[in-house]
Amino acid sequence: MADGALRRVLVVGYGRRHEGKPEEHVIYSVVVLREGHDDDQLYKRFSEFCKLQEKIAVVSHQQGKQFVPPLPPKLLVGANERAVLIERVAGLQNFLDLCMLLSLIHI
């Protein structure tokens, strides 16, 4: 990924993939906007957002901060329904916006 001042991270949609597994899973399309560079597009699973949140919690605790932005809840039922996925995209965007606001992520 290119260096440059991070301007914004956007969750722009979702899709479904198998990636060699019999069951389908949801991936989220993420666009990283940087000063003076082309946009980067990434594809992330919800579990990767959870890992990011865990890393932020560790670093925040080390810095004496107590607040870690929340993620939308993990879904077991209805996780593939369009309305649920649209709501989750909004929740993931909120998570990333709070991280940016609090300067918690540096991609």
Side-chain angles (χ1 to χ4, degrees), residues 38-107:
D38 291 338
D39 301 345
D40 290 310
Q41 186 155 10
L42 312 168
Y43 299 94
K44 300 292 180 181
R45 293 180 66 170
F46 184 76
S47 61
E48 293 174 280
F49 284 94
C50 293
K51 289 175 186 173
L52 175 60
Q53 185 189 45
E54 289 170 10
K55 289 177 184 178
I56 288 170
V58 169
V59 171
S60 294
H61 181 71
Q62 291 170 347
Q63 296 175 350
K65 298 176 185 175
Q66 299 300 317
F67 179 74
V68 176
L71 282 170
K74 183 159 178 75
L75 303 171
L76 300 176
V77 177
N80 288 318
E81 294 177 18
R82 187 173 193 275
V84 171
L85 291 170
I86 290 171
E87 186 175 323
R88 179 172 271 182
V89 165
L92 293 172
Q93 185 63 59
N94 185 57
F95 168 75
L96 292 172
D97 287 345
L98 284 170
C99 288
M100 292 288 296
L101 180 69
L102 299 170
S103 299
L104 295 173
I105 55 174
H106 309 279
I107 298 175

